[in-house]
Amino acid sequence: MMGGGPMMGGGRGGTMGGRGGQGPGGQMGPPGMGRPSFGNRAGRGRATVRGALSFSLSNSAMDARPYSLTGQTVEKPNYAQSRFSVMLGGPLIIPKVFNSERTFFFFNYSGSRGRNPYQAVATLPTALERAGDFSQSVTRLPVQIYDPLSGLPFAGNAIPASRMNPAAVGLLPYIPHPNQPGGVQNYQYVTSVGSGSDNIALRVMRPLTAKDRVDVGVNVQTRDASAAQLYGFRDSTDGLGANVNAGWTRNLTRSVISRFSWTFSRNRSETLPFFAYGEDIAGALGIAGVSRDPINFGPPNLNFTNFGALSDASPILRRDQTSGISEAVTFMRNKHTVAVGAGWRRMQLNTRTDQNARGTFTFSGLATSALDEQGRPVAGTGYDFADFLLGLPQSSSVRFGSSSTYFRASAWNAYVTEDWRVRPNLTFNLGLRYEYFTPFREKYNHIANLDIAPGFTGVAVVTPGQAGTWTGTYGAGLIDPDKNNFSPRVAMAWRPFSGRQMQIRAGYGIFYNGSIYNQFPQRLAAQPPFANTATVNTSLALPLTLQNGFATVPSQTITNTFAVDRGYRVGYAQTWNFAIQQSLPHALVVEVGYLGTKGTRLDIQRLPNRALPGSPLTAEQRRQIGNAVGFTFDSSQGNSIYHAAQARFTRRFSKGISANALYTFSKSIDNASSLGGGAAVVAQDDKDLRAERGISSLNQRHTLNLFYVLASPVGETGGLIQSHGWAGRLLKDWSFSGGITASSGTPLTARVLGNASDTAGTGAVGSGRADSTGAALYSGTGFFNLGAFTIPPSGRFGNAGRNTIDGPTRLSANLSISRSFRIDDRRRMELRVESRNFTNHVSYTGVGTVVNASDYGLATGAAAMRSLTANLRVRF
């Protein structure tokens, strides 16, 4: 689903917002300056400084134990988290240096220190399997492995020690032993990792003349943390960010206001992998073809069908920078408020990284499968870890070189909006916005794309300024700019009956996703002729091994694995809504409405040069473009539609009680869940994109959000219950608040992996879907009927649709109890204890849906259990 914010916005203009509309950052107009909330007059007429101190603490001793997916006791990690802040605001007075009650400042410091819990569950090879004995191994059926040299079953279903690959034996120590019983989900890793941050913000505002006001803001942040990996590796991250902004507001006339703004931000972040600058593990094991830079040292990444992956982060250093200016002029005359503005931003993405310098091997069970007469794997044979011990991956991929890249892009916008108060009970908000986003270019032209022949009958590598074989000369960004991004917007707020508390709101708008360009430049840069890449599938003629898997030269002359349609156009969402709100007696408000969103030109990825799944090991010769490896093609051909009916019940705060309940009944359908938070999915069949249409990855049919506040009705005066003396002081100023969120689960897709799928020449698996058997999807026990899906036959794709399995429902209840203490007329202290998921309810976050994997149908993740946080705040 593309875009689509909350339907029921308050105030005039429905979804259009208040006066001024949208500004250069995606808002239709300039944000209001507002007046500082500090600087109240007190005492002898002097403005005073206001402030607050806060501190919050959570500790594992107060939290529930993590939920165990295996039923075994899970060790609770030791962790603690603290957050603290200082806020000051008022007139800027520095004794003997500066004294002005016309200059106001706001200062904020906030920091955090702590250790955060991490929990992961996986299946790891048993002691017998690590020794090469698979006589006891079972997925859905008993495992049967075949000798790739003779084509006959291994005696005793075991690999002799003499046949084990030395590199595989050398990598075994990096794969932990199971720490739980059984052969499935027999490994749990629970730990805590450190993190810390410091933020300092200062804002100063001052009127220069009766018509002019200026404001300047500075914000600086430092942060550092560790990230845990499944096998116990820990990567370090750190960062430094700064933001500076300044504004000048001038009253040109009594009804015309000008606002000029300048912003500048820079952010540096770095990730250092666990193995960086350590032992050259690949070199010691004889694994050729990987980077020899010490920052990239470490074992290769290992992907399995049935077992947890051995992986670690890639080193990356990012130094991103954005600067921009904007100008907005607001005209107010009688019933009309018109805003006109324009803005410009310059963006820099400076990166140093090698995305896959240690390389990645995929083990699928293909090498130890029985082969039929056509050279295709026989279903039910082969095992991924047996392939690993023999050192025979199905595919390999590696990418390094051209480590430093410097991307540049600009964005322009212009808009005009009008608030038209036709009558006291009727307001229209009209607007038109234009946006232009340039595709990113690389400062030294170190990016490459593929020039595509009609019908994908051929491809050729192109670089900036080079003429393509089929489509002409390419520009600096290798993507043709999209200059037709006009966004009309209209909204209405109407009280149809005088003297009655009924409101009708409606709105329509178009919103463009200019940030989509951010995902292309790094992938275009990290390929030939600027980077060393290789993506190879094993074959009968040239089988891959751990030692030569990265060093083997592909038979194809074009090894680029990513391309973007040069005619790529920026996607957009059309959003419309309608709502009716009615106030009722006893401070009650009821609102019902509808929200619709249609996404057009969404991002979709496909594999136009892949062989059919289950093809013989010579399938590389059967690709449509014989001189190119399989590559991902990114284009703007996706679409989506979202409909939602909403009902909101509100009780305004009265007599110590307020509540808000929102129920949403919705459905979203698309053929590429690439916006709104969904992960991009490569289309299963490039020649049948219609088969990709299904329920959106983030679809939740039912959602209920309930929030409430209960304030103590006890008081010495004015409360429902009047109590004097010590009892009144003890019972007053208490507050209970909380919320309940209940929702349907997000949908899941039945898939196939390993020797039952095709790696498409890119080293990536996972887009192959299972076959539907026709059996009822929900019958018996478990999350769904496992018999509803099976492995598709060789030579065709699975016929199961995308996202046909309803994911587990989710429920969370939060509770907060607080007490406010009045110290004196200017100071007050608040103590609050919060509990998330205070009922300790289990909400599953993942289910295994790979039909030929050992964890098929099992829960693979669970949300956090009950936690407690104590907060203390002092206001003065």
Side-chain angles (χ1 to χ4, degrees):
M1 185 190 80
M2 180 169 185
M7 172 199 66
M8 301 180 183
R12 294 179 301 158
T15 59
M16 298 296 290
R19 295 185 182 181
Q22 290 215 1
Q27 303 298 319
M28 282 211 51
M33 279 286 294
R35 295 185 62 85
S37 60
F38 39 79
N40 297 325
R41 298 281 178 173
R44 298 181 179 179
R46 296 184 59 84
T48 58
V49 174
R50 300 288 186 180
L53 304 173
S54 68
F55 177 78
S56 67
L57 175 67
S58 60
N59 192 284
S60 58
M62 300 185 291
D63 296 346
R65 187 182 301 275
Y67 179 73
S68 174
L69 296 173
T70 65
Q72 303 297 317
T73 301
V74 178
E75 177 187 358
K76 184 165 66 171
N78 294 319
Y79 59 85
Q81 301 157 339
S82 61
R83 296 177 177 84
F84 37 87
S85 68
V86 178
M87 293 172 283
L88 297 172
L92 183 59
I93 300 175
I94 304 176
K96 300 182 180 180
V97 177
F98 187 86
N99 191 332
S100 173
E101 294 188 4
R102 301 180 61 203
T103 304
F104 291 91
F105 80 97
F106 178 79
F107 171 81
N108 174 265
Y109 164 78
S110 62
S112 66
R113 301 290 185 273
R115 299 185 63 81
N116 306 303
Y118 173 86
Q119 179 186 14
V121 176
T123 299
L124 291 185
T126 63
L128 285 176
E129 290 171 333
R130 294 171 70 97
D133 186 348
F134 299 96
S135 60
Q136 306 299 315
S137 300
V138 177
T139 53
R140 296 188 68 188
L141 297 171
V143 168
Q144 180 64 59
I145 60 172
Y146 285 74
D147 188 339
L149 297 182
S150 66
L152 301 175
F154 274 105
N157 220 28
I159 299 174
S162 60
R163 292 285 302 278
M164 292 187 185
N165 186 285
V169 174
L171 289 172
L172 268 179
Y174 299 98
I175 301 176
H177 291 265
N179 56 18
Q180 301 290 322
V184 180
Q185 292 187 336
N186 54 9
Y187 173 75
Q188 295 199 52
Y189 179 52
V190 178
T191 187
S192 57
V193 291
S195 66
S197 67
D198 293 282
N199 299 267
I200 297 177
L202 176 65
R203 188 167 189 84
V204 178
M205 295 172 282
R206 176 181 172 84
L208 299 179
T209 68
K211 295 184 177 182
D212 299 278
R213 301 184 301 278
V214 295
D215 57 276
V216 178
V218 179
N219 182 282
V220 179
Q221 179 194 70
T222 63
R223 57 194 180 275
D224 63 86
S226 295
Q229 303 288 350
L230 174 66
Y231 285 2
F233 315 140
R234 296 197 179 191
D235 308 321
S236 63
T237 63
D238 64 81
L240 172 65
N243 178 283
V244 181
N245 57 82
W248 172 31
T249 303
R250 178 175 176 81
N251 293 7
L252 301 176
T253 68
R254 295 183 61 183
S255 59
V256 181
I257 301 173
S258 169
R259 168 74 175 174
F260 176 82
S261 300
W262 168 79
T263 60
F264 173 84
S265 65
R266 184 173 177 85
N267 185 64
R268 180 191 183 278
S269 60
E270 183 173 17
T271 297
L272 193 66
F274 175 81
F275 292 99
Y277 301 111
E279 179 187 357
D280 183 5
I281 298 172
L285 297 177
I287 299 174
V290 297
S291 171
R292 300 265 68 89
D293 188 335
I295 198 174
N296 294 318
F297 282 173
N301 299 308
L302 307 177
N303 291 331
F304 301 95
T305 302
N306 295 288
F307 302 100
L310 188 159
S311 63
D312 193 21
S314 296
I316 182 170
L317 172 63
R318 292 193 57 168
R319 293 150 296 173
D320 299 343
Q321 181 173 299
T322 301
S323 58
I325 57 173
S326 63
E327 170 64 28
V329 180
T330 303
F331 305 84
M332 293 170 285
R333 182 177 179 84
N334 298 329
K335 299 180 179 180
H336 300 271
T337 299
V338 178
V340 179
W344 169 83
R345 286 181 295 131
R346 180 66 171 174
M347 294 158 286
Q348 298 184 13
L349 306 180
N350 305 306
T351 305
R352 187 190 71 203
T353 186
D354 286 317
Q355 297 178 355
N356 190 17
R358 294 190 306 275
T360 299
F361 288 116
T362 297
F363 296 92
S364 65
L366 178 64
T368 51
S369 295
L371 302 179
D372 62 16
E373 294 179 355
Q374 287 76 38
R376 297 177 300 193
V378 176
T381 65
Y383 202 48
D384 49 357
F385 200 73
D387 287 11
F388 166 72
L389 292 179
L390 292 171
L392 299 175
Q394 178 178 345
S395 65
S396 67
S397 63
V398 66
R399 180 175 300 176
F400 61 93
S402 186
S403 303
S404 297
T405 51
Y406 307 88
F407 301 109
R408 306 289 186 265
S410 298
W412 286 266
N413 70 82
Y415 64 88
V416 56
T417 68
E418 179 181 8
D419 256 348
W420 178 21
R421 294 172 294 282
V422 181
R423 297 177 181 176
N425 65 334
L426 178 63
T427 299
F428 283 99
N429 185 265
L430 310 172
L432 179 64
R433 180 180 176 86
Y434 173 75
E435 296 174 289
Y436 172 54
F437 314 94
T438 67
F440 279 90
R441 66 175 183 85
E442 210 279 327
K443 184 177 180 180
Y444 301 104
N445 292 329
H446 286 183
I447 52 175
N449 203 353
L450 291 178
D451 186 42
I452 310 291
F456 291 98
T457 56
V459 296
V461 178
V462 288
T463 56
Q466 182 179 348
T469 305
W470 295 279
T471 62
T473 302
Y474 281 69
L478 299 179
I479 303 173
D480 297 335
D482 182 4
K483 300 181 179 180
N484 299 304
N485 302 329
F486 289 92
S487 306
R489 304 176 190 182
V490 58
M492 175 202 71
W494 178 36
R495 293 181 182 269
F497 305 109
S498 177
R500 297 188 181 181
Q501 297 297 313
M502 174 182 284
Q503 296 184 39
I504 297 177
R505 296 191 299 275
Y508 170 84
I510 294 179
F511 305 86
Y512 284 89
N513 179 32
S515 63
I516 192 66
Y517 283 144
N518 293 5
Q519 72 180 33
F520 302 142
Q522 197 63 50
R523 300 184 72 180
L524 292 175
Q527 43 184 6
F530 307 109
N532 300 309
T533 67
T535 300
V536 187
N537 280 359
T538 194
S539 66
L540 291 174
L542 191 61
L544 299 181
T545 68
L546 282 171
Q547 286 80 1
N548 73 7
F550 302 132
T552 298
V553 178
S555 59
Q556 294 82 3
T557 57
I558 297 177
T559 59
N560 297 52
T561 58
F562 179 74
V564 183
D565 182 4
R566 70 169 300 172
Y568 194 102
R569 302 187 67 189
V570 175
Y572 64 91
Q574 301 177 73
T575 299
W576 56 94
N577 64 59
F578 177 82
I580 300 177
Q581 176 182 300
Q582 176 65 56
S583 297
L584 302 174
H586 309 294
L588 302 178
V589 179
V590 176
E591 185 174 355
V592 294
Y594 160 80
L595 169 66
T597 301
K598 183 181 186 302
T600 305
R601 301 198 309 232
L602 305 187
D603 188 72
I604 191 168
Q605 299 182 21
R606 37 202 287 216
L607 299 167
N609 199 34
R610 73 180 295 177
L612 288 174
S615 296
L617 294 182
T618 56
E620 290 185 3
Q621 303 170 4
R622 308 171 80 182
R623 289 197 175 93
Q624 183 172 347
I625 309 171
N627 69 328
V629 300
F631 61 89
T632 301
F633 182 69
D634 212 320
S635 60
S636 51
Q637 296 176 275
N639 59 79
S640 68
I641 186 69
Y642 171 80
H643 298 285
Q646 293 183 321
R648 186 192 297 274
F649 178 86
T650 303
R651 188 187 194 281
R652 297 191 178 104
F653 190 80
S654 175
K655 299 180 180 180
I657 301 174
S658 70
N660 186 301
L662 173 63
Y663 169 72
T664 302
F665 175 73
S666 64
K667 187 174 184 179
S668 178
I669 300 175
D670 61 37
N671 60 359
S673 301
S674 53
L675 207 65
V681 176
V682 178
Q684 175 178 249
D685 185 358
D686 174 71
K687 297 177 177 58
D688 187 13
L689 295 182
R690 293 180 59 186
E692 297 304 304
R693 192 158 186 84
I695 301 297
S696 301
S697 297
L698 293 181
N699 182 75
Q700 291 180 292
R701 184 66 58 88
H702 305 278
T703 303
L704 174 65
N705 293 292
L706 171 65
F707 303 96
Y708 60 88
V709 175
L710 306 175
S712 171
V714 177
E716 296 181 3
T717 58
L720 291 179
I721 303 175
Q722 297 187 23
S723 179
H724 300 274
W726 66 269
R729 291 192 296 271
L730 179 64
L731 297 177
K732 71 175 183 177
D733 294 334
W734 285 92
S735 177
F736 297 82
S737 62
I740 298 174
T741 300
S743 66
S744 305
T746 53
L748 306 169
T749 301
R751 303 180 296 141
V752 291
L753 284 179
N755 58 358
S757 66
D758 178 55
T759 56
T762 64
V765 296
S767 58
R769 296 198 288 273
D771 241 28
S772 175
T773 64
L777 185 55
Y778 302 103
S779 63
T781 60
F783 296 101
F784 61 95
N785 178 16
L786 304 187
F789 302 100
T790 189
I791 299 173
S794 296
R796 74 164 173 83
F797 295 102
N799 60 18
R802 284 180 56 238
N803 296 332
T804 56
I805 304 171
D806 292 335
T809 58
R810 301 178 185 180
L811 174 67
S812 178
N814 303 325
L815 177 66
S816 173
I817 303 175
S818 63
R819 171 71 194 273
S820 179
F821 302 89
R822 180 179 178 182
I823 301 174
D824 55 32
D825 291 341
R826 292 185 52 191
R827 291 177 293 178
R828 199 170 190 88
M829 181 175 68
E830 178 183 300
L831 177 63
R832 184 172 72 255
V833 177
E834 301 174 344
S835 176
R836 296 184 179 181
N837 192 14
F838 76 93
T839 60
N840 213 32
H841 177 79
V842 179
S843 292
Y844 296 103
T845 58
V847 177
T849 59
V850 177
V851 298
N852 59 319
S854 57
D855 63 355
Y856 179 48
L858 299 179
T860 57
M865 304 305 286
R866 181 180 60 244
S867 64
L868 292 177
T869 302
N871 302 271
L872 177 65
R873 172 170 296 204
V874 178
R875 303 177 186 272
F876 56 88

